[in-house]
Amino acid sequence: MSGFYMQLFLYLNVFLMGALTAVAIRHAYAHFRPHVAEAEKHPVTMQNGHLPPAVREHLLEAAQANFQTVLDRSAKELSQDLEKTSAQINKLLEKHGTDVINDDLQHYRSRLAELQKQTEAGMSKLQAGLSTHQAELDAEFIAHQAEQKAKLAEEIAAEKQRLLQQIDTQLADAVGSFLLDTLQHNVDLGAQATYLTSMLDEHKADFTRGLADEAKTSK
Amino acid sequence: MKLKLASSISSPQDLQALISEIRNYARWYGHNAIKLRLHAKTKRHGGQAEPELSPAAKEVLAGWGKHDELTRRELDSLINELERFARTAQEITITLAAPASNSIKQILVAWCRDNIAPDILVNFQFNATILGGLVVRYRSRIFDWSFRRQILEARGQFPEVLRHV
């Protein structure tokens, strides 16, 4: 329904525009060709009949002078108006350009500030992450270092103990061999008589028990 | 009658020597008894002289007889008892660092007979490598109380002792 009214409205507009265009062309034509028509309607021969040539010449010169004056003044005013308009246009353009640039700059600055904030936030986050990671690495390094130190100390202690054990063993072997080689010469049993009986007395219980056990097992 | 061995009879070898000595004496005693009976009839003297007995044999013979004079039967019973004793007696072996003197032997045999068994026999051996002390072996059991054993057992303590020197 609304489409129908819209079409009707458009057709009406077209019609009015055509009528207005025809009227405008007629007026324009009448405006630009008035003298030709007047000249055709009132031939010179009729004016020549009412005004003398001198007056007519004088009027023509005066009209030309007036027309020239009006034309000059109009040109001058047009030139002045054109200059003013140009100045205003320049001023407006400059103002408009300045406003546009200011707006762009403002927008750019706000955008830049936002990006800077985002970057700072990212940098802060990254810095925090880096700090955390650095702390973790430091803690891990310290733990690893402590572990390595403990392990190294343990290995050193074990190696030291092994070397000490080896030295003790070799020393014991050397002393034992020395004693065995030295004492097996010039054995004096006479000096050992008391020692022998005291040793038998000392081990008497084990000795008699061992003999009894052996006698039982032999039976 | 109870057999009582002198401390000088310590080893089976000593016991066998004693048995051999007693057996010779018994043989002589038998011969001499026959001769004495013959001489009593013929009034003649002669015959083999009495064998020299060791102090240990004399001690055994003195302790064995019921009377002052031994009879041939008592001597035979003594020999039988000694042989039975040689078969049944306990026997240990003591190893020393040097050949044992008689005094050492008597001390050790006396200790064994006082503390272990009165009829025990002791063999003596020597081995210089044990350095000192003694090693006692009874059948398959060995009691090592030698210096060598003590040194080897205390070998681990030498470094500790040397550290404190």
Side-chain angles (χ1 to χ4, degrees), chain B residues 60-78:
Chain B
V60 170
L61 289 173
W64 182 253
K66 290 179 180 177
H67 312 289
D68 292 340
E69 288 291 330
L70 283 172
T71 63
R72 177 59 194 253
R73 182 173 296 176
E74 286 174 341
L75 287 174
D76 290 339
S77 67
L78 174 61

Side-chain angles (χ1 to χ4, degrees), chain B residues 98-119:
Chain B
S101 62
N102 285 331
S103 61
I104 295 282
K105 283 183 179 180
Q106 287 179 2
I107 290 171
L108 294 177
V109 169
W111 189 94
C112 290
R113 289 180 177 167
D114 290 341
N115 295 282
I116 300 172
D119 55 352

Side-chain angles (χ1 to χ4, degrees), chain B residues 3-7 9 15 18 59-60 82 85 113 119 121:
Chain B
L3 180 63
K4 185 178 180 182
L5 286 179
S7 59
I9 308 300
L15 183 61
L18 177 65
E59 187 177 349
V60 170
L82 287 173
F85 183 81
R113 289 180 177 167
D119 55 352
L121 296 176

Side-chain angles (χ1 to χ4, degrees), chain A residues 168 172 199 201 204 214 218, chain B residues 111 115 139-140 145 163:
Chain A
D168 286 350
M199 181 168 289
D201 287 331
K204 180 180 174 182
E214 187 65 25
S218 297
Chain B
W111 189 94
N115 295 282
R139 293 180 182 172
S140 62
W145 298 311
R163 283 191 197 99

